[in-house]
Amino acid sequence: IGSDELNMYSSSPTPLTANGSDSKKQRLEESPPSRVLHIRKLPNEVSETEVIALGLPFGKVTNILMLKGKNQAFLELGTEEAAITMVNYYTAVTPQVRNTPVFIQYSNHKELKTDSALNQRAQAVLQAVSAVQDGSSPSSDPGVLDLAPPPSPVLRIIIDNMFYPVTLDVLQQIFSKFGTVMKIITFTKNNQFQALLQFSDPVNAQQAKLSLDGQNIYNSCCTLRIDFSKLVNLNVKYNNDKSRDYTRPDLPTGDGESVNKDHSLLGTPSGALASYSSGGGYSSSLSLSQGGGAISPLSAAAAAAAAAGRVALSGSGVSGVLLASNLNEERVKILYNKKDSALIQLSDGNQAQLAMSHLNGQKVFGKVMRVTLSKHQTVALPREGLDDQLLTKDFSGSPLHRFKKPGSKNFQNIFPPSSTLHLSNVRDAVGEDDLRLLFSNGGGTVKAFKFFQDRKMALIQMTSVEEAIQTLMELHNYDMGGNHHLKVSFSKSTI
């Protein structure tokens, strides 16, 4: 069928006027119900999948004809009942494709007779979509609407056993493997971290649910429980660490109060996660600022998102031993026969996974460090007196640990390397000038400094991530006198 035969399919003699709602209602009343629907005002370059997605929640889609030059399409559903349900639904809720309102009405024709040679691509897409649809509910008869609960493009995600914090960007990274993620809202309800995540297409939501439900984000923890939301469209007012509309990079970040107020129906937003510092907009793309190290509020989250690309969606069995390689041989003493590599044993596989995610690819002493999981299950300690090179050391009783209690709330403060460092256990009478001088001594440059109210904690910003890493290595556990040891860790905030 060519687009020149459009008039034969047009559902009424009324000319296709611009979106006047009166004329639309009038045409709907004039056209008798049909399982073929006429869709108009589609955005340019729309795909068959996006058009099929409009019909999927209501039953089996059996045919499609795209009239791309006219920004129109015809969609045939398996039954007239399904088509009636769809038209009734979209009379109450404006149908949207790529955030553009479209118009749906009955066609004059009872079925689509398409030349398969001209419409092969659309048919191929239909078959692929049908396979996914059938695969998810093999017992349902495609002609009976009631047996196939309509999948929404919105998923509700609950994270059980949340031993490590899960950011909005980690979710985006994991779920975008299944299609375009358009919007995410995170919140805490019944003391559980939850999220609503909207795909551009219900088929992608279905595939993500099939693949990810019951999986762990990190080994043995952060288990995803996924079902379809009753909502079909999310209303996101702010782009920040609790909610994001990827189609609207212009949205404000909002302040804490208004975020709470607007999402009050969903419970307190993201109570399980410490919020990022207010101020500073989010860039529309999740690009990590490389090298220069000017950290925006997004960078820590984006680093976590990049890490999520490497997380194992698997159960257990991962050892707590990491292999760090490509280290600067002159600055780091390690394996006897491979001087640029070290084996590091953490307390469990989860911590090894997190350390690998945060540290792989970071620059240390001028070289990009590689961190991978080792095949070794443990790091063997040498028998007493045999390690004359002092290449192996037991850190189990070390005062260097920042996070000693497994599962404590402090684990939520483990962040990827950033140019801003968090200082704690600052001794009384030690002032800003003393700390600036201390942190400049190693050749670094302090860009900014801020004391917390009690002056026992502070933020200090170096000029680059690499500089901050080296400073942390030199000054964590620094003796300030009187048995006061300075604690230094990476911060998620900027000054």
Side-chain angles (χ1 to χ4, degrees), residues 73-151:
F74 291 93
L75 197 66
E76 182 189 276
L77 277 84
T79 63
E80 196 167 286
E81 292 76 31
I84 292 168
T85 307
M86 180 170 163
V87 168
N88 288 347
Y89 177 80
Y90 285 132
T91 305
V93 177
T94 307
Q96 292 201 336
V97 176
R98 296 192 188 183
N99 281 358
T100 307
V102 297
F103 295 131
I104 298 177
Q105 59 197 86
Y106 298 116
S107 162
N108 275 347
H109 290 260
K110 295 295 177 192
E111 63 175 323
L112 276 181
K113 293 191 176 73
T114 52
D115 179 338
S116 61
L118 286 172
N119 208 21
Q120 262 177 337
R121 177 176 152 69
Q123 290 303 312
V125 172
L126 250 180
Q127 281 167 9
V129 171
S130 299
V132 171
Q133 201 180 24
D134 293 343
S136 65
S137 51
S139 60
S140 64
D141 175 349
V144 181
L145 178 67
D146 294 338
L147 290 181

Side-chain angles (χ1 to χ4, degrees), residues 279-296:
Y282 284 84
S283 60
S284 55
S285 66
L286 295 180
S287 58
L288 278 170
S289 55
Q290 306 234 325
I295 185 162
S296 72

Side-chain angles (χ1 to χ4, degrees), residues 212-422:
L212 296 177
D213 190 22
Q215 298 276 16
N216 298 323
I217 297 177
Y218 297 110
N219 280 305
S220 318
C221 71
C222 301
T223 309
L224 294 164
R225 283 205 289 123
I226 304 168
D227 53 32
F228 288 107
S229 169
K230 292 184 177 68
L231 299 170
V232 291
N233 188 31
L234 297 179
N235 181 24
V236 176
K237 291 188 169 65
Y238 302 111
N239 281 342
N240 53 33
D241 59 313
K242 299 179 183 75
S243 61
R244 193 82 51 84
D245 184 338
Y246 295 95
T247 65
R248 298 269 319 274
D250 56 307
L251 286 177
T253 54
D255 58 14
E257 274 184 45
S258 45
V259 170
N260 278 335
K261 207 160 47 194
D262 289 324
H263 293 327
S264 57
L265 288 172
L266 304 171
T268 315
S270 199
L273 298 179
S275 63
Y276 289 108
S277 63
S278 57
Y282 284 84
S283 60
S284 55
S285 66
L286 295 180
S287 58
L288 278 170
S289 55
Q290 306 234 325
I295 185 162
S296 72
L298 183 60
S299 300
R310 296 191 289 276
V311 300
L313 285 166
S314 63
S316 54
V318 171
S319 84
V321 181
L322 295 174
L323 173 68
S325 57
N326 199 38
L327 299 163
N328 185 320
E329 293 178 29
E330 290 165 23
R331 304 295 300 268
V332 188
K333 290 189 214 166
I334 351 184
L335 291 180
Y336 185 70
N337 57 353
K338 202 165 176 355
K339 295 195 185 330
D340 74 337
S341 302
L343 289 174
I344 300 145
Q345 182 176 346
L346 287 99
S347 69
D348 60 36
N350 294 328
Q351 292 189 17
Q353 194 95 39
L354 198 65
M356 176 179 74
S357 297
H358 287 343
L359 298 177
N360 183 34
Q362 296 290 351
K363 231 180 189 185
V364 181
F365 300 126
K367 296 191 78 173
V368 175
M369 178 169 63
R370 294 277 160 250
V371 183
T372 55
L373 289 166
S374 167
K375 61 179 186 289
H376 295 282
Q377 294 299 307
T378 57
V379 173
L381 289 166
R383 288 207 305 278
E384 226 171 305
L386 286 185
D387 186 10
D388 54 356
Q389 302 277 324
L390 301 175
L391 293 178
T392 312
K393 189 169 180 183
D394 183 356
F395 284 93
S396 52
S398 166
L400 291 167
H401 297 300
R402 299 169 188 82
F403 311 100
K404 283 188 177 168
K405 283 188 198 158
S408 85
K409 276 194 175 172
N410 276 345
F411 276 83
Q412 291 179 15
N413 296 323
I414 299 175
F415 299 108
S418 70
S419 59
T420 305
L421 298 169
H422 179 276

Side-chain angles (χ1 to χ4, degrees), residues 421-442 444-452 455-462 471 475 478-480 484-488:
L421 298 169
H422 179 276
L423 316 183
S424 60
N425 206 30
V426 176
R427 191 179 176 184
D428 291 343
V430 172
E432 178 177 336
D433 291 347
D434 302 313
L435 289 166
R436 277 178 175 268
L437 184 64
L438 179 64
F439 277 74
S440 306
N441 271 352
T445 308
V446 175
K447 268 182 74 176
F449 181 92
K450 180 178 136 190
F451 257 128
F452 285 76
R455 297 179 72 84
K456 285 186 169 54
M457 294 195 290
L459 293 178
I460 194 160
Q461 189 171 344
M462 310 304 288
T471 313
L475 293 175
Y478 176 82
D479 188 352
M480 304 181 81
H484 249 81
H485 292 265
L486 186 65
K487 301 281 183 208
V488 185

